[in-house]
Amino acid sequence: MNRLLIVDGHNLLFQMFFGMPARIVNEQGKAIQGTLGFVGALLKIIRRIKPTHIAVLFDGKHENNRLALDSNYKTNRIDYSEIPEEKNPFSQLNDIYAALDYLGIQHTESTDCETDDLIASYALTYGQDNEIVISSFDSDFFQLITDKVSVLRYRGEKTVICTPDYITEKFGIAPSQYADFKSLTGDVADNIKGAEKVGLKTASRLLSEFGNLENMIANSNNIKKPSIRESIIQNSNRLRTNYKIIKLENNYSLPFTLSELEYRLGEISTTEVLKGIGLK
């Protein structure tokens, strides 16, 4: 069976750029710590997953249609256009693209949606007949997990592969309920506010009782605890908006077909890649 590895490019870049213990420069004085970390992590992920196909997807610069639903969406994020090069992960993006080209790995930037949307479209298009592994720390991808779709959270030797059992054990819900769950609890990283007084355990308990967010709102008068009942009723519009923002669908054209993502390169080291693109 095919095994498609989809890498959330900016997610891995930020993790590696800010996770390196110090700024690293090559003999020419060029900063390479982000590229070094990215390539090293990617090769370790490849060795672990042994994919037959790979895509690395990045967010491009374009209007974000989710802002039309909530003007506060991701407004808490840093504007890196004003950050100096030595502290800016995007300063090493072209070197990472060169490394991916050297490795023969298809990559692209999204042009009309977020990377999340493209990754979801891949998982929902190919996840019935192929194994899919999504490499990212973005918990939104938990909603895509099935028996054939998993999420890899890279931490070196502490890497975790999230399966349906992982979601059930961690949150007490099925992966298919995760968008409902996150709509209730909110998401600090994306500046999405949930329902007051509804934490992780309460959200899990409510979904166990009502199944999904819409059914919960429709039957909110049956929620036993008065403060929770009032919170769901008062925040029903916001919760529905949260769900529209968080829910991932198969709505966007795929930049590459599965056959175009075939990966054939054998064993190679990070040093070889950096030498191959002129950074060593």
Side-chain angles (χ1 to χ4, degrees):
M1 179 181 290
N2 294 325
R3 182 177 295 133
L4 170 60
L5 170 64
I6 312 173
V7 179
D8 182 349
H10 280 158
N11 192 276
L12 185 60
L13 168 60
F14 273 65
Q15 182 189 356
M16 293 299 107
F17 185 90
F18 292 110
M20 297 297 279
R23 186 170 184 262
I24 301 171
V25 298
N26 63 8
E27 293 178 357
Q28 291 75 43
K30 182 179 178 65
I32 62 169
Q33 76 275 12
T35 308
L36 177 68
F38 187 101
V39 173
L42 179 59
L43 292 177
K44 288 177 182 177
I45 292 168
I46 289 171
R47 284 194 286 270
R48 175 162 184 160
I49 299 302
K50 298 179 174 59
T52 58
H53 300 72
I54 306 178
V56 183
L57 304 174
F58 298 86
D59 273 310
K61 292 182 180 179
H62 51 76
E63 293 295 320
N64 192 323
N65 55 15
R66 287 179 171 87
L67 285 170
L69 295 170
D70 183 354
S71 60
N72 294 314
Y73 178 65
K74 288 188 176 182
T75 53
N76 55 338
R77 300 289 180 92
I78 295 172
D79 181 1
Y80 278 94
S81 65
E82 301 178 0
I83 301 298
E85 182 176 314
E86 64 270 15
K87 297 181 180 179
N88 192 333
F90 297 110
S91 65
Q92 297 180 34
L93 197 54
N94 286 336
D95 290 333
I96 288 172
Y97 289 168
L100 292 171
D101 289 337
Y102 186 82
L103 288 165
I105 294 174
Q106 296 277 24
H107 60 93
T108 192
E109 295 182 359
S110 59
T111 58
D112 59 353
C113 63
E114 294 186 66
T115 300
D116 297 25
D117 298 305
L118 288 184
I119 292 176
S121 292
Y122 270 106
L124 294 168
T125 298
Y126 293 119
Q128 297 291 322
D129 303 314
N130 306 273
E131 289 184 36
I132 310 284
V133 179
I134 300 167
S135 175
S136 180
F137 269 90
D138 188 339
S139 64
D140 285 343
F141 296 125
F142 287 166
Q143 64 187 279
L144 301 174
I145 291 176
T146 66
D147 290 338
K148 290 186 177 179
V149 179
S150 60
V151 173
L152 181 145
R153 313 192 97 185
Y154 177 77
R155 285 198 185 102
E157 294 181 357
K158 296 182 179 179
T159 295
V160 175
I161 296 180
C162 307
T163 62
D165 287 344
Y166 173 92
I167 301 302
T168 301
E169 291 170 10
K170 188 172 181 67
F171 302 109
I173 59 172
S176 59
Q177 295 174 302
Y178 190 77
D180 307 79
F181 178 82
K182 201 169 184 180
S183 299
L184 287 163
T185 62
D187 185 350
V188 174
D190 289 345
N191 208 31
I192 296 173
K193 188 177 180 181
E196 291 84 358
K197 303 183 185 301
V198 179
L200 302 183
K201 290 183 179 179
T202 299
S204 175
R205 187 166 60 249
L206 288 169
L207 288 171
S208 177
E209 181 177 355
F210 293 99
N212 59 58
L213 180 67
E214 194 55 44
N215 190 48
M216 183 190 311
I217 292 172
N219 295 280
S220 53
N221 287 328
N222 296 327
I223 297 174
K224 297 178 180 64
K225 192 171 181 178
S227 60
I228 302 301
R229 180 172 63 246
E230 189 64 23
S231 179
I232 297 299
I233 292 171
Q234 287 186 351
N235 292 294
S236 60
N237 288 336
R238 186 204 309 161
L239 294 175
R240 286 187 170 111
T241 297
N242 288 355
Y243 186 82
K244 290 177 182 177
I245 291 171
I246 294 166
K247 181 64 175 174
L248 295 173
E249 306 278 7
N250 187 3
N251 289 336
Y252 293 92
S253 300
L254 302 179
F256 309 105
T257 64
L258 186 62
S259 61
E260 291 175 313
L261 299 177
E262 191 170 349
Y263 181 72
R264 298 180 179 180
L265 192 64
E267 189 67 26
I268 191 170
S269 69
T270 303
T271 300
E272 287 178 86
V273 176
L274 295 186
K275 282 183 179 179
I277 62 173
L279 290 185
K280 276 284 188 179

